[in-house]
Amino acid sequence: MNTQEKEISYQNTNTYSTLNSITPSTKNVWLVFHGIGYLSRYFIRLFDSLNKDDNYIIAPQAPSKYYKGEDYRRVGSSWLTKENTLRETDNILRYVDAVIDYENIPEHANFIVLGYSQGVSIASRWIASRKIKCDAFVMISGGFPKELQKEDFTFLPENTKITHIVGEKDPYFEIEKVEAEKQRVQNILPQIEFRTHPGGHELNINSLKNIV
């Protein structure tokens, strides 16, 4: 058997979701990356309780979609797998670049990057590779990429607020692993603040108070 795996480039189109509107009074623009199993139009609803005049939310959509459950009715999505990870990461980050270019975020607003669960890997890689000087970076219930090091984030201003949030009842995070991960991430991002909420593997909107 003489098989080959080849590679080809082509133009692709993807959606993303937004919530509220950008106005001169907008205080915060959020770029939020959902976790595995979500679609952006549902994930963005979690931010609906934020003040609508102050906050504009942008939720990119993971490109790989699949049916959830055996009834083939609900659709979820995933950012990355272990298959061809480097190339897929490059494709996704270029898609995020296109979203941000199109949105033309105003300079007067705080820029907040948030990753939830699997979205943490995309958010952190995008910030590191594009040298994004965001006002705040929030990681919720997700692992920090193993390849990223302290030197990947030396461009961040000291006043960039970095927050790591995990649920006290999150079944995916054993306390020993959480403590080890906290130490590793703190060595990379010394200004990080660690928070918890009383729930499980979820985005608790109340834990986002005073993020900036």
Side-chain angles (χ1 to χ4, degrees):
M1 182 180 294
N2 184 21
T3 65
Q4 298 182 59
E5 187 169 89
K6 301 181 180 181
E7 186 174 87
I8 190 169
S9 296
Y10 63 98
Q11 186 173 357
N12 195 10
T13 301
N14 195 6
T15 61
Y16 67 98
S17 300
T18 64
L19 179 66
N20 307 327
S21 301
I22 291 182
T23 71
S25 63
T26 299
K27 294 181 180 179
N28 306 307
V29 174
W30 300 69
L31 179 67
V32 299
F33 295 88
H34 63 75
I36 192 168
Y38 274 96
L39 295 179
S40 64
R41 65 177 177 267
Y42 299 126
F43 180 66
I44 206 168
R45 296 177 183 177
L46 298 176
F47 300 85
D48 189 51
S49 62
L50 296 178
N51 184 289
K52 292 174 174 49
D53 294 326
D54 291 348
N55 297 282
Y56 179 68
I57 300 44
I58 304 166
Q61 172 60 61
S64 299
K65 303 191 178 63
Y66 59 91
Y67 284 110
K68 299 168 64 175
E70 297 180 356
D71 58 1
Y72 296 95
R73 297 182 62 183
R74 295 182 300 146
V75 176
S77 66
S78 172
W79 290 105
L80 293 169
T81 67
K82 64 181 181 180
E83 180 70 18
N84 203 13
T85 305
L86 291 178
R87 174 58 65 196
E88 293 297 331
T89 300
D90 181 61
N91 289 337
I92 289 168
L93 297 187
R94 286 189 287 109
Y95 155 69
V96 177
D97 293 341
V99 170
I100 294 302
D101 287 345
Y102 187 81
E103 284 293 321
N104 193 25
I105 296 171
E107 293 184 2
H108 74 265
N110 294 314
F111 183 46
I112 304 166
V113 181
L114 179 149
Y116 163 68
S117 193
Q118 192 188 42
V120 171
S121 67
I122 305 302
S124 52
R125 285 170 172 139
W126 183 68
I127 289 173
S129 65
R130 273 41 176 180
K131 306 297 187 239
I132 303 299
K133 294 182 179 180
C134 51
D135 295 282
F137 174 31
V138 186
M139 295 173 275
I140 302 177
S141 299
F144 194 73
K146 301 296 184 184
E147 78 274 11
L148 295 181
Q149 305 295 324
K150 187 171 184 177
E151 54 267 26
D152 294 314
F153 296 92
T154 55
F155 64 90
L156 283 177
E158 291 184 2
N159 61 349
T160 298
K161 192 162 184 181
I162 302 174
T163 310
H164 181 282
I165 305 171
V166 65
E168 295 173 353
K169 300 176 183 177
D170 192 325
Y172 298 103
F173 288 85
E174 299 174 7
I175 188 64
E176 294 83 3
K177 292 182 179 179
V178 169
E179 292 303 320
E181 180 71 357
K182 284 170 64 175
Q183 185 60 54
R184 182 177 77 90
V185 176
Q186 191 164 37
N187 289 336
I188 298 171
L189 301 164
Q191 69 268 50
I192 195 167
E193 173 194 357
F194 295 99
R195 299 183 183 182
T196 61
H197 62 78
H201 193 75
E202 62 197 65
L203 190 154
N204 183 314
I205 201 69
N206 292 324
S207 66
L208 299 179
K209 292 180 179 178
N210 302 317
I211 283 296
V212 290

